[in-house]
Amino acid sequence: MRIGSGFDVHAFGAGDHVVLGGVRIPHEQGVLAHSDGDVVIHALCDAIFGALALGDIGTHFPPADERWRGADSRQFLRHAALLMAQHDFKLGNADITVICEAPKIGPHAQAMRERLAADLECGIGRISIKATTTERLGFAGRREGIAAQACVLLERA
Protein backbone atom coordinates (compact mmCIF):
# COMPACT_ATOMS: atom_id res chain seq x y z
CA MET A 1 0.00 0.00 0.00
CA ARG A 2 1.01 3.61 -0.52
CA ILE A 3 -0.40 6.77 1.07
CA GLY A 4 -0.19 10.25 -0.45
CA SER A 5 -1.42 13.71 0.44
CA GLY A 6 -2.00 16.78 -1.66
CA PHE A 7 -2.97 20.41 -1.21
CA ASP A 8 -3.89 23.15 -3.66
CA VAL A 9 -5.07 26.74 -3.38
CA HIS A 10 -6.15 29.41 -5.85
CA ALA A 11 -7.10 33.03 -5.36
CA PHE A 12 -10.49 34.21 -6.53
CA GLY A 13 -10.59 36.60 -9.47
CA ALA A 14 -12.94 37.73 -12.20
CA GLY A 15 -15.44 35.17 -13.43
CA ASP A 16 -18.85 33.66 -12.89
CA HIS A 17 -18.00 30.08 -11.89
CA VAL A 18 -15.45 27.73 -10.38
CA VAL A 19 -14.63 24.19 -11.43
CA LEU A 20 -14.37 21.70 -8.58
CA GLY A 21 -13.97 17.97 -9.02
CA GLY A 22 -14.66 18.43 -12.72
CA VAL A 23 -18.00 20.14 -12.03
CA ARG A 24 -18.73 23.71 -13.15
CA ILE A 25 -20.31 25.53 -10.21
CA PRO A 26 -21.88 28.99 -10.55
CA HIS A 27 -20.15 31.51 -8.30
CA GLU A 28 -19.76 35.28 -8.21
CA GLN A 29 -16.03 34.87 -8.91
CA GLY A 30 -13.70 32.62 -10.84
CA VAL A 31 -10.17 31.57 -9.88
CA LEU A 32 -6.80 32.85 -10.97
CA ALA A 33 -5.02 29.85 -12.46
CA HIS A 34 -3.04 28.64 -15.44
CA SER A 35 -5.44 25.74 -16.08
CA ASP A 36 -9.09 25.65 -15.03
CA GLY A 37 -7.95 26.01 -11.40
CA ASP A 38 -9.77 22.92 -10.12
CA VAL A 39 -8.31 22.74 -6.60
CA VAL A 40 -10.03 19.40 -5.92
CA ILE A 41 -8.40 17.64 -8.86
CA HIS A 42 -5.06 19.39 -8.35
CA ALA A 43 -4.88 18.26 -4.71
CA LEU A 44 -6.00 14.75 -5.69
CA CYS A 45 -3.37 14.51 -8.43
CA ASP A 46 -0.67 15.66 -6.01
CA ALA A 47 -1.78 12.99 -3.53
CA ILE A 48 -1.60 10.28 -6.21
CA PHE A 49 1.74 11.48 -7.58
CA GLY A 50 3.07 11.63 -4.01
CA ALA A 51 1.92 8.10 -3.22
CA LEU A 52 3.69 6.93 -6.38
CA ALA A 53 6.80 9.01 -5.53
CA LEU A 54 6.50 10.74 -8.91
CA GLY A 55 6.74 14.41 -7.94
CA ASP A 56 3.83 16.81 -8.08
CA ILE A 57 1.36 18.19 -10.57
CA GLY A 58 3.82 20.91 -11.64
CA THR A 59 6.34 18.22 -12.58
CA HIS A 60 3.86 16.56 -14.93
CA PHE A 61 2.07 19.71 -16.14
CA PRO A 62 4.40 22.71 -15.74
CA PRO A 63 2.49 25.99 -15.36
CA ALA A 64 4.96 27.70 -17.69
CA ASP A 65 3.95 25.31 -20.51
CA GLU A 66 1.33 27.03 -22.66
CA ARG A 67 -0.19 23.65 -23.61
CA TRP A 68 -1.88 23.64 -20.20
CA ARG A 69 -3.29 27.20 -20.28
CA GLY A 70 -7.02 26.90 -19.54
CA ALA A 71 -6.76 23.09 -19.58
CA ASP A 72 -9.50 20.86 -18.20
CA SER A 73 -7.94 19.38 -15.07
CA ARG A 74 -9.74 16.10 -15.65
CA GLN A 75 -7.03 15.28 -18.20
CA PHE A 76 -4.48 15.65 -15.38
CA LEU A 77 -6.45 13.18 -13.28
CA ARG A 78 -6.73 10.69 -16.15
CA HIS A 79 -2.93 10.93 -16.50
CA ALA A 80 -2.56 10.19 -12.78
CA ALA A 81 -4.87 7.16 -13.20
CA LEU A 82 -2.73 5.93 -16.08
CA LEU A 83 0.43 6.25 -13.99
CA MET A 84 -1.24 4.33 -11.16
CA ALA A 85 -2.01 1.48 -13.56
CA GLN A 86 1.47 1.57 -15.11
CA HIS A 87 2.98 1.21 -11.62
CA ASP A 88 0.57 -1.63 -10.78
CA PHE A 89 -1.56 0.31 -8.27
CA LYS A 90 -5.26 1.06 -7.96
CA LEU A 91 -7.09 3.54 -5.78
CA GLY A 92 -8.05 2.15 -2.39
CA ASN A 93 -9.79 5.39 -1.45
CA ALA A 94 -9.52 9.16 -1.72
CA ASP A 95 -10.64 11.59 0.96
CA ILE A 96 -10.90 15.21 -0.20
CA THR A 97 -11.76 18.31 1.81
CA VAL A 98 -12.63 21.61 0.13
CA ILE A 99 -11.86 24.68 2.23
CA CYS A 100 -13.97 27.76 1.48
CA GLU A 101 -16.77 29.99 2.70
CA ALA A 102 -18.46 29.84 -0.71
CA PRO A 103 -19.61 28.32 -2.95
CA LYS A 104 -21.56 25.68 -1.06
CA ILE A 105 -20.05 22.27 -1.84
CA GLY A 106 -22.75 19.92 -0.54
CA PRO A 107 -25.16 20.34 -3.46
CA HIS A 108 -22.36 19.40 -5.90
CA ALA A 109 -20.50 16.70 -3.95
CA GLN A 110 -22.28 13.75 -5.57
CA ALA A 111 -21.58 15.02 -9.09
CA MET A 112 -17.92 15.56 -8.14
CA ARG A 113 -17.68 12.03 -6.76
CA GLU A 114 -19.18 10.65 -9.98
CA ARG A 115 -16.72 12.54 -12.21
CA LEU A 116 -13.69 11.64 -10.12
CA ALA A 117 -14.70 7.97 -9.93
CA ALA A 118 -15.19 7.89 -13.71
CA ASP A 119 -11.76 9.40 -14.38
CA LEU A 120 -10.07 7.09 -11.86
CA GLU A 121 -12.07 4.08 -13.11
CA CYS A 122 -13.16 3.10 -9.61
CA GLY A 123 -16.36 2.75 -7.65
CA ILE A 124 -17.91 5.94 -6.33
CA GLY A 125 -17.71 4.48 -2.83
CA ARG A 126 -13.94 4.98 -2.95
CA ILE A 127 -14.28 8.78 -3.24
CA SER A 128 -15.20 11.10 -0.36
CA ILE A 129 -15.84 14.83 -0.80
CA LYS A 130 -16.28 17.04 2.25
CA ALA A 131 -16.18 20.76 2.86
CA THR A 132 -15.30 23.05 5.71
CA THR A 133 -15.02 26.76 6.32
CA THR A 134 -12.30 28.53 8.25
CA GLU A 135 -14.86 30.34 10.42
CA ARG A 136 -14.13 33.54 8.48
CA LEU A 137 -10.43 33.40 9.38
CA GLY A 138 -7.57 33.74 6.90
CA PHE A 139 -7.72 34.09 3.11
CA ALA A 140 -10.52 31.51 2.73
CA GLY A 141 -12.52 33.14 5.51
CA ARG A 142 -12.18 36.52 3.83
CA ARG A 143 -13.40 34.88 0.58
CA GLU A 144 -10.13 35.66 -1.19
CA GLY A 145 -9.64 32.12 -2.45
CA ILE A 146 -10.39 28.43 -2.23
CA ALA A 147 -8.31 25.42 -1.22
CA ALA A 148 -8.53 21.64 -1.12
CA GLN A 149 -6.60 18.88 0.54
CA ALA A 150 -6.61 15.23 -0.47
CA CYS A 151 -5.40 11.99 1.03
CA VAL A 152 -5.24 8.75 -0.96
CA LEU A 153 -4.53 5.13 -0.25
CA LEU A 154 -3.21 3.16 -3.22
CA GLU A 155 -3.24 -0.63 -3.24
CA ARG A 156 -1.41 -3.08 -5.46
CA ALA A 157 -3.60 -3.92 -8.44
Side-chain angles (χ1 to χ4, degrees), residues 7-67:
F7 179 80
D8 193 48
V9 62
H10 284 289
F12 285 131
D16 62 0
H17 72 280
V18 295
V19 178
L20 298 172
V23 176
R24 182 184 169 112
I25 299 172
H27 188 54
E28 67 254 10
Q29 295 177 292
V31 295
L32 302 175
H34 185 69
S35 66
D36 63 8
D38 188 329
V39 294
V40 168
I41 288 180
H42 295 179
L44 182 54
C45 284
D46 269 351
I48 293 168
F49 295 145
L52 295 171
L54 294 175
D56 61 21
I57 196 167
T59 303
H60 297 267
F61 303 98
D65 189 333
E66 285 302 309
R67 289 181 295 170

Side-chain angles (χ1 to χ4, degrees), residues 3-123:
I3 296 171
S5 66
F7 179 80
D8 193 48
V9 62
H10 284 289
F12 285 131
D16 62 0
H17 72 280
V18 295
V19 178
L20 298 172
V23 176
R24 182 184 169 112
I25 299 172
H27 188 54
E28 67 254 10
Q29 295 177 292
V31 295
L32 302 175
H34 185 69
S35 66
D36 63 8
D38 188 329
V39 294
V40 168
I41 288 180
H42 295 179
L44 182 54
C45 284
D46 269 351
I48 293 168
F49 295 145
L52 295 171
L54 294 175
D56 61 21
I57 196 167
T59 303
H60 297 267
F61 303 98
D65 189 333
E66 285 302 309
R67 289 181 295 170
W68 311 121
R69 179 166 300 285
D72 180 344
S73 292
R74 291 182 73 192
Q75 67 185 316
F76 304 162
L77 188 57
R78 290 188 287 266
H79 175 74
L82 177 65
L83 290 176
M84 272 194 298
Q86 288 175 347
H87 287 85
D88 199 31
F89 281 96
K90 65 180 180 179
L91 184 73
N93 74 298
D95 185 27
I96 303 151
T97 303
V98 182
I99 305 159
C100 63
E101 297 291 326
K104 293 294 182 195
I105 303 305
H108 308 283
Q110 184 66 16
M112 287 186 234
R113 292 176 68 215
E114 290 170 1
R115 299 249 170 106
L116 298 175
D119 289 340
L120 292 171
E121 299 179 0
C122 70

Side-chain angles (χ1 to χ4, degrees), residues 12 99-102 134 136-147:
F12 285 131
I99 305 159
C100 63
E101 297 291 326
T134 59
R136 295 186 280 174
L137 299 173
F139 77 90
R142 292 186 301 270
R143 298 179 181 229
E144 296 170 0
I146 190 166

